[in-house]
Amino acid sequence: MIRINENYLKLTSSYLFVEIARRVADFQKQNPGKEIIRLGIGDVTRPLPKACVEAFARGVAEMGEAEGFRGYGPEQGYAFLREQIAEADYKSRGVDIDADEIFISDGSKCDTGNIQELFAGDISVAVPDPVYPVYVDTNVMAGRSAAFADGRYGGFVYLEGNRNNGFVPSPPSGRADLIYLCFPNNPTGAVATKAQLKEWVDYARAHRALILFDAAYEAFITDKSVPRSIYEIEGAKDAAIEFRSFSKTAGFTGTRCAFTVIPKTCEAFDKEGNGHSLHGLWNRRHSTKFNGVSYPVQRAAEAVYVGDGPSQVREIIDYYMANAGLILEKMTKLGYNCTGGVNAPYIWIECGSDSWTFFDMLLNRAGVVCTPGAGFGRRGEGFIRISAFNSRENVEKALRKIEESI
Ligand code: MLT
């Protein structure tokens, strides 16, 4: 008899953004012709930067020529991209990360989901609440939780985020072995200071724990004092893995390219307490289960760093951040408490009611899709998230419609 992994039965309904898409599709069916503006899932709308498109096309053309054709590439990514990343994202900012500590992949969602495979089943997992649901769901699938009850899975250490701590939780007093942090934060848009991240790095080192630091929104940081990488914190190279993505930075959500940084000094431990290199284990996993990102896509990603690429990328980010500014300004003016929108493309809004009810109200009255905070955890109840990823015209129209409907 073929048996299932019963941990999947513990999962609550569907993945958050699938559930939202289902509700929006239902609404559209019942209201054909009604305009819907999507400020829910953080999916980019601006076209790829021209430099990336040109590099992409050159890569495709090379693949069509006998001299340029390539078969399987290195699973870890081509050196040309890894070296650019090491230089532009790390060394030029005073952070010592080598090209071979960078693993190119097809997405940070996949990497943050897959990485937990390296760890024992009985470790204690700490997740913020509210939280990007992938960290939670993938650990439920792996059997690290008990049943779901009252808005939470048993067995996880939930790190409470609220207005008092600015949605930047402090380390717990008890044990946490694997710690998920995301800054700039999805969903709240909050950022952590160096001092706050240092507390986490110190905790992780003292407890031989590991931080999984999701920095997918790093490019949206405008405040120069805010750290862009966990490795800006002394000691982090021994205790943290960092995830970054071209998805939001350069419009690659449909093109797929990201990377994970695993410093060679970063270790996890066996039962006897002997340290093992996570770099080596991930390399083993990656080369066994992954065949690399396609050559033209890696050439397109490389273009983010060279020639006109950086300024074109900056222009796209500035465009979305101007949207974020408009959303933040309007929602604040309408009397809502808001977080984010300054160093992040998400605005987290205390909506004053049940968040799915507010979601339905906005959809029905304004035709605007947001993300209900409750989908990010128990502490997300009473909030919604509005994403800045859409055209200026649609954001302005959505804000007018919101104002008219509340
Ligand atoms: C979001 O809306 O939270 C993001 O699009 C999720 C993701 O990047 O997977």
Side-chain angles (χ1 to χ4, degrees):
M1 175 173 73
I2 175 69
R3 293 191 44 223
I4 56 161
N5 172 356
E6 292 190 22
N7 295 310
Y8 276 67
L9 304 180
K10 291 182 200 155
L11 290 166
T12 56
S13 62
S14 50
Y15 180 58
L16 172 62
F17 294 104
V18 174
E19 174 61 17
I20 292 172
R22 190 190 63 72
R23 289 192 187 212
V24 174
D26 274 0
F27 175 80
Q28 201 146 40
K29 216 156 136 197
Q30 282 153 26
N31 301 274
K34 171 130 182 158
E35 187 185 15
I36 293 176
I37 303 176
R38 291 164 205 275
L39 301 176
I41 191 165
D43 194 4
V44 292
T45 57
R46 305 279 293 162
L48 291 174
K50 204 155 172 279
C52 297
V53 176
E54 287 166 1
F56 205 165
R58 280 196 301 274
V60 173
E62 278 182 66
M63 293 293 273
E65 306 278 336
E67 317 78 66
F69 174 76
R70 287 166 165 83
Y72 293 124
E75 293 88 355
Q76 303 80 358
Y78 284 101
F80 63 77
L81 179 55
R82 300 169 89 193
E83 280 161 13
Q84 280 294 347
I85 293 169
E87 185 52 44
D89 283 338
Y90 294 101
K91 288 190 199 304
S92 72
R93 295 186 184 144
V95 176
D96 186 22
I97 291 293
D98 287 331
D100 65 355
E101 295 178 308
I102 293 163
F103 293 83
I104 309 298
S105 78
D106 59 348
S108 288
K109 172 170 156 180
C110 325
D111 283 356
T112 54
N114 290 330
I115 196 93
Q116 47 80 26
E117 221 180 88
L118 301 188
F119 308 110
D122 58 356
I123 55 165
S124 139
V125 176
V127 288
D129 182 0
V131 65
Y132 177 45
V134 171
Y135 315 150
V136 173
D137 289 4
T138 53
N139 277 290
V140 173
M141 291 170 180
R144 294 196 184 90
S145 78
F148 187 79
D150 196 16
R152 285 185 171 175
Y153 291 96
F156 292 147
V157 176
Y158 283 95
L159 309 163
E160 306 266 338
N162 50 47
R163 293 226 342 263
N164 294 337
N165 62 16
F167 298 97
V168 182
S170 299
S173 45
R175 177 184 149 211
D177 303 317
L178 188 64
I179 301 152
Y180 288 81
L181 297 179
C182 172
F183 292 109
N185 187 255
N186 180 11
T188 67
V191 286
T193 62
K194 275 196 178 155
Q196 286 167 322
L197 289 185
K198 183 167 184 322
E199 267 189 62
W200 277 108
V201 169
D202 291 349
Y203 175 94
R205 296 185 73 194
H207 293 78
R208 299 214 284 182
L210 182 76
I211 297 169
L212 298 180
F213 190 76
D214 186 347
Y217 299 94
E218 151 285 324
F220 294 85
I221 294 174
T222 51
D223 182 340
K224 289 207 167 20
S225 69
V226 171
R228 299 173 73 123
S229 165
I230 188 81
Y231 304 121
E232 289 177 42
I233 312 303
E234 205 192 320
K237 280 177 71 179
D238 299 339
I241 290 176
E242 180 162 290
F243 303 90
R244 292 221 193 163
S245 172
F246 296 98
S247 281
K248 315 295 158 84
T249 310
F252 273 53
T253 52
T255 305
R256 311 305 310 151
C257 198
F259 60 92
T260 290
V261 182
I262 310 189
K264 296 220 176 101
T265 48
C266 203
E267 293 191 327
F269 304 89
D270 62 25
K271 304 197 269 307
E272 275 75 46
N274 303 309
H276 297 268
S277 155
L278 285 169
H279 183 278
L281 293 179
W282 183 246
N283 194 42
R284 184 71 174 82
R285 192 261 174 215
H286 211 56
S287 48
T288 305
K289 294 196 178 183
F290 187 63
N291 261 336
V293 173
S294 84
Y295 172 73
V297 168
Q298 292 193 58
R299 281 294 185 198
E302 180 194 23
V304 163
Y305 299 101
V306 291
D308 293 336
S311 62
Q312 292 172 3
V313 164
R314 194 66 251 160
E315 209 176 292
I316 295 178
I317 290 169
D318 289 348
Y319 181 92
Y320 291 130
M321 288 312 289
N323 285 350
L326 291 177
I327 300 167
L328 179 61
E329 187 186 296
K330 173 65 81 183
M331 296 309 285
T332 307
K333 208 161 140 215
L334 291 175
Y336 293 98
N337 278 313
C338 300
T339 310
V342 177
N343 292 297
Y346 296 127
I347 298 87
W348 184 244
I349 299 158
E350 198 166 0
C351 60
S353 71
D354 165 86
S355 61
W356 278 106
T357 306
F358 201 85
F359 167 90
D360 286 332
M361 186 278 287
L362 277 193
L363 181 59
N364 281 288
R365 292 206 212 148
V368 172
V369 182
C370 66
T371 307
F376 297 105
R378 196 203 275 170
R379 290 287 166 252
E381 185 51 276
F383 293 83
I384 56 154
R385 189 194 76 178
I386 295 187
S387 145
F389 294 116
N390 211 313
S391 67
R392 182 68 36 76
E393 190 194 353
N394 276 346
V395 166
E396 285 171 346
K397 198 191 288 179
L399 292 174
R400 273 199 306 277
K401 290 187 168 197
I402 292 174
E403 186 166 21
E404 283 158 19
S405 13
I406 52 178

